[in-house]
Amino acid sequence: MYTESSQVKKRLKNITISATFGALLFGYDTGVINGALPFMGSPDQLNLTAVTEGMVTSSLLLGAALGAVFGGRLADNFGRRKTILNLSLLFFFVSIGCALSPTASVMIFFRFLLGLAVGAASVNVPTFLSEVSPAERRGKLVTINELMIVTGQLLAFTINAILGNVFADVQSIWRWMLAVAALPAVFLFFSMLRVPESPRWLVVKGKEDTALNVLRQIRDGEERPQRELNEIKQAISAETNLQKASFKDLNTPWIRRIVLIGIGIGICQQVTGVNSIMYYGTQILQDAGFATDAALVANIGNGVISVLATFFGIWLLGKINRRTMFIIGQVGIICALLAIGITSNLLEGTAILPYVTLSLTITFLFFQQGFVSPVTWLLLAEIFPIRLRGFGMGVSTFCLWMANFAVGMSFPSLLAGLGLSATFFMFAGINVIAIGFVYKFCPETRGRTLEQLESEFRNHYKDKDIKAAL
């Protein structure tokens, strides 16, 4: 059995911490808007309406959708490490640009650029970690990326609460909330200078000697680095001879079906309305009756439960089936959404409503981050056979980000036009449809190989053709 020396463990730990500061920035930049909006939107600041508020929030998400599509190609051309290094510079300068924005239009522009960095980081950080990690530790090390995202959001909520309470009378304090994101960007840049390039990328570029030197730094023994180098070369050779999927392949029924299922899974994760809470949680709590300073502090509870639920979800993945986990999460989410809608009507104007709403948003996030979110990314990684994986993941991830954009863009207008109760009733209704989709179309992947799943998708249409012939 392979064991690592303390020196190799330390190197891998340093690489993981360094790279996942990109995930921390992902989390911070998506979460910081939550506490910044109440200050930013005031008449003497950016004077935001419901529409421009949605645009400021969701412009990042539109940029992230594009960044996720093109970020992988940049890394393929220039290297994983170099791409993450350049993203740290983009994170730094754009964070400063957001903090100094004089108008809503300028803010929307810089938030879009920030989204490009977030989307590219969402693709490149886990890819880099998977390529430097030993096979037996890959799952654990790559999962740290997810933990750093929710940790970044918790950090944003905490800093928002501190700054918003200490400087409650300073309307421009939102600028400092946004500027804080420049600090982890500096750490990401300098820490990545000490990190080696992905050995897999080096082999693709014909730099086999350099790749072997890297493997000798992050693997123990004399034989294992050479053995892994040979395995990488064989895998790349097999992929080179493999015809990659494209949009033309959607004419094939079983391929079209599996891609549509992947898109559906990604959309189902977003239409829960989770990011209405992650982006607008402070405003939801204000509408329920909290003052701004109290809402900022209470919102930390949402961040804490997200981190704890992610740990729980990672543990749960090995215990129950994927479909079961997804459906349990959806049922819990629907109950929480309905409860928020009902209590906001029945308890309107009462002193207890803010605390009931906070407890229900925490319950919502427990089911979202503990059940739905972990299994979403695992299902997307498992349902596509190797020839479809890059294409299928790319299309599904793009649609997931666009659904995220739609929620982020529309929520302030829905809240202003329909009110808190009706908005959450609407999300509950959409999630009933999502459960039906998962129950009818989503395959169970636990304990089954990619080849078995591909065979089932192919045979689905063979069976239909036989029945039609009869």
Side-chain angles (χ1 to χ4, degrees), residues 15 63 75 124 142 149 223 287 289 379 381 450 458:
I15 290 171
N124 283 305
V142 173
I149 292 172
E223 296 182 1
D287 284 353
L379 280 169
L450 297 179
R458 289 178 181 273

Side-chain angles (χ1 to χ4, degrees), residues 39-67:
F39 298 96
M40 185 191 301
S42 62
D44 63 334
Q45 295 299 307
L46 299 188
N47 193 26
L48 301 179
T49 65
V51 173
T52 54
E53 193 175 282
M55 292 176 68
V56 165
T57 302
S58 60
S59 55
L60 181 146
L61 308 174
L62 182 61
L66 297 176

Side-chain angles (χ1 to χ4, degrees), residues 16-17 20-28 143-153:
T16 303
I17 292 173
T20 53
F21 258 78
L24 185 85
L25 281 160
F26 175 165
Y28 188 92
T143 302
I144 293 174
N145 182 67
E146 298 298 319
L147 290 174
M148 287 292 273
I149 292 172
V150 292
T151 300
Q153 291 174 329

Side-chain angles (χ1 to χ4, degrees), residues 23 111 267 278 340 346 367 397 441 466:
R111 289 275 295 174
I267 292 174
M278 301 311 289
I340 292 172
L346 294 180
F367 284 103
T397 302
F441 297 107
I466 291 171

